[in-house]
Amino acid sequence: MESLSCLVLKPSPPTRLFFPPRIPQMALPGSTFVFPFSMDYQLPITTAKLALKPIRASTSAVPTTPSTTSTVTSSPTAASTKKVLVPIGFGTEEMEAVILVDVLRRAGAEVTVASVEPQLDVQASGGTKLVADTRISTCSDRVFDLVALPGGMPGSAQLRDCEILKKITSKQAEEKRLYGGISTAPAVTLLPWGLLKRKRTTCHPAFFDRLPTFWAVKSNIQVSGELTTSQGPGTSFLFALALVEQLFGESVAREIGELLFMHSADDKPRKEEFNKVDWAVSHTPRVLVPVANGSEEIEIVTIVDILRRAKVDVVVASVEKSVKILASQGVKIIADKLIGDAAGSIYDLIILPGGVAGTERLQKSRILKKLLKEQDAAGRILGAVCSSPTVLHKHGLLKENKVTAHPSAITELSNPVDGPKVVIDGKLITSMGLATVSDFALAIVSKFFGHARARSVAEGLVFEYPRS
């Protein structure tokens, strides 16, 4: 019986992790990316120009939705043979799971998200509700090119206690196929399964002392044979790109990195602010994140996760008829409520995620349009990332504000700023999107609470952030 296939415990609330500052990174010569030093392996990614390509529908077991988000695929044949399993459970870290799925699907992998719980709906560690494609029991007889475990607590313990997943991953290791884990997964899940033997390994810094001393490596990414490990939410893009390179090769990983704006720290300014005003409020900041079918999952999940870590009250509201939305790369997310139910409250900030198909649907929502105009008239804060600044523009809300956006959308805007990942102009904040949304969300934390709070949250993510 499926309900007996995994040990299911009544879970305690998810645990968010905080720990000391991360180790420094090392930029590879001639590279536009920053990758950590690894004793066994370094990602040899070099400079490249990227021509955006049309999306190829994922062959994973999820319904598809029209999307204009760009992707890179090696070839139909290669894509169909690269099968990836990403298991999730109660308390899985949502940034790690979603970034893995999104990036691997962009590369052309057939990714199956499998729940180790009795149900498909899973509440992640920061409160985001994800819907798996299938239950883990349906995957027991399948062969995967890669099994990638996200971290999070108690998510990693839930994965550890699933016998079916243990057998799948152990067979993966025995047959010399790729497997890996990020954050708490190496120490909490893979170590008890005996899958770290004679493998150099890294993990979440708060769990580092659990690793065998001789084989533990303080690096952001560690590749040791078939095993790849990484440190936390802030290294998720690096982890995913390392796996993409092993599955599809250097050129695909390089193109995906460019597509996601995975630039080096020196390539673009982190943020630029104009017409500085105080955002501090005397209460817990309240933020609305409207979402739609086709919204970009990386942007939704990263913004919500980071703001909730900073103790911001975040409401995710669907503009669709259902609270369940299908994001641009096939990740299914359950919003907290419908936009009509959210419209009765006042928000200090409304943030629009990107994803071209999702942006179009956000723009058509009459309730959201009314909310945005009321927000602007009341002098409260607006935010938009990726392609969504065009929604504010078409509703006449940008005025003379300086903005940034995804390169495909920025030409539609009247006062764009070229260069910074994040632009703040008074009570408007915009971002290029995708990998830059971590900086976007941390900039919001800094504006609400100050730099010290933002830095503390960044350290908890294992995300490089300036000291001052």
Side-chain angles (χ1 to χ4, degrees):
M1 295 176 61
E2 286 184 11
S3 61
L4 298 178
S5 62
C6 300
L7 176 61
V8 179
L9 304 174
K10 190 169 187 94
S12 57
T15 302
R16 309 318 297 266
L17 303 169
F18 297 90
F19 47 87
R22 68 189 293 192
I23 60 168
Q25 294 178 320
M26 174 175 151
L28 300 180
S31 174
T32 59
F33 306 101
V34 173
F35 290 101
F37 177 78
S38 166
M39 294 182 67
D40 288 3
Y41 181 77
Q42 294 179 29
L43 294 178
I45 294 181
T46 54
T47 306
K49 298 272 188 180
L50 175 64
L52 300 184
K53 302 179 182 180
I55 188 166
R56 183 183 302 280
S58 170
T59 53
S60 58
V62 294
T64 58
T65 189
S67 174
T68 51
T69 304
S70 299
T71 189
V72 176
T73 54
S74 48
S75 71
T77 302
S80 66
T81 60
K82 302 301 181 183
K83 295 177 171 57
V84 178
L85 174 64
V86 177
I88 60 174
F90 174 81
T92 288
E93 215 308 311
E94 49 261 75
M95 279 179 65
E96 295 166 0
V98 169
I99 290 171
L100 263 175
V101 174
D102 186 299
V103 173
L104 287 164
R105 283 179 176 164
R106 286 174 189 271
E110 178 186 330
V111 182
T112 299
V113 181
S115 171
V116 302
E117 310 293 351
Q119 69 285 347
L120 295 181
D121 298 4
V122 172
Q123 181 175 316
S125 62
T128 299
K129 300 177 184 70
L130 305 174
V131 184
D133 304 325
T134 188
R135 293 179 179 85
I136 193 66
S137 57
T138 68
C139 302
S140 57
D141 295 325
R142 295 177 57 186
V143 175
F144 295 96
D145 297 281
L146 166 67
V147 176
L149 310 184
M153 291 297 290
S156 290
Q158 296 293 102
L159 300 189
R160 176 198 64 204
D161 295 338
C162 180
E163 285 299 320
I164 293 176
L165 178 61
K166 178 182 177 181
K167 290 177 181 177
I168 291 171
T169 313
S170 297
K171 184 178 180 181
Q172 192 81 3
E174 289 168 6
E175 297 182 357
K176 303 296 183 183
R177 295 193 299 271
L178 299 177
Y179 67 103
I182 185 170
S183 185
T184 55
V188 177
T189 310
L190 295 175
L191 180 63
W193 289 348
L195 300 183
L196 301 184
K197 292 179 180 178
R198 303 185 68 80
K199 299 283 189 183
R200 294 197 180 277
T201 308
T202 192
C203 75
H204 192 292
F207 288 72
F208 195 76
D209 58 0
R210 297 194 185 188
L211 298 177
T213 304
F214 181 76
W215 297 99
V217 179
K218 290 185 177 180
S219 60
N220 294 330
I221 298 291
Q222 182 65 40
V223 179
S224 184
E226 299 79 29
L227 172 68
T228 303
T229 52
S230 187
Q231 288 194 313
T235 65
S236 295
F237 284 105
L238 299 176
F239 181 56
L241 285 177
L243 297 173
V244 167
E245 179 167 341
Q246 292 170 80
L247 286 172
F248 295 104
E250 177 187 335
S251 63
V252 174
R254 180 176 61 243
E255 289 187 47
I256 293 291
E258 291 282 354
L259 181 69
L260 295 168
F261 308 124
M262 286 292 293
H263 304 285
S264 71
D266 296 329
D267 187 60
K268 289 185 181 293
R270 194 174 292 268
K271 68 180 179 182
E272 190 167 352
E273 185 166 5
F274 306 88
N275 303 312
K276 189 172 182 178
V277 296
D278 187 12
W279 288 14
V281 293
S282 58
H283 53 270
T284 299
R286 190 165 172 80
V287 174
L288 176 68
V289 180
V291 296
N293 290 329
S295 289
E296 173 49 56
E297 49 264 82
I298 284 177
E299 294 164 2
I300 298 169
V301 168
T302 301
I303 291 166
V304 173
D305 192 340
I306 291 176
L307 293 183
R308 285 179 174 165
R309 285 172 180 264
K311 308 305 180 187
V312 174
D313 181 6
V314 182
V315 175
V316 180
S318 168
V319 303
E320 308 292 347
K321 294 180 180 180
S322 168
V323 291
K324 185 184 292 186
I325 65 121
L326 184 66
S328 65
Q329 298 298 320
V331 173
K332 288 168 280 188
I333 299 172
I334 300 177
D336 302 319
K337 56 182 67 177
L338 297 175
I339 192 69
D341 297 325
S345 299
I346 293 175
Y347 302 93
D348 299 290
L349 168 61
I350 299 177
I351 302 171
L352 305 182
V356 178
T359 296
E360 291 173 355
R361 299 184 74 82
L362 293 180
Q363 184 187 332
K364 292 176 181 177
S365 169
R366 294 180 181 179
I367 297 175
L368 179 57
K369 179 180 179 179
K370 184 174 181 288
L371 274 174
L372 293 172
K373 285 185 174 292
E374 290 174 350
Q375 186 83 356
D376 179 65
R380 295 190 293 268
I381 311 161
L382 291 168
V385 301
C386 196
S387 56
S388 67
T390 60
V391 176
L392 301 180
H393 173 66
K394 290 173 182 177
H395 289 334
L397 301 177
L398 288 185
K399 305 180 180 69
E400 297 302 318
N401 289 102
K402 296 182 183 299
V403 296
T404 190
H406 191 279
S408 64
I410 204 165
T411 55
E412 298 183 38
L413 307 177
S414 58
N415 205 6
V417 179
D418 183 28
K421 299 175 183 178
V422 179
V423 172
I424 306 172
D425 189 350
K427 291 192 174 181
L428 174 71
I429 181 167
T430 54
S431 167
M432 297 170 65
L434 298 169
T436 71
V437 291
S438 294
D439 285 302
F440 173 83
L442 288 168
I444 292 170
V445 174
S446 182
K447 289 294 292 183
F448 276 137
F449 301 108
H451 182 80
R453 175 79 68 91
R455 179 162 175 77
S456 175
V457 171
E459 289 173 355
L461 296 165
V462 201
F463 182 78
E464 197 72 36
Y465 196 72
R467 292 188 174 275
S468 60

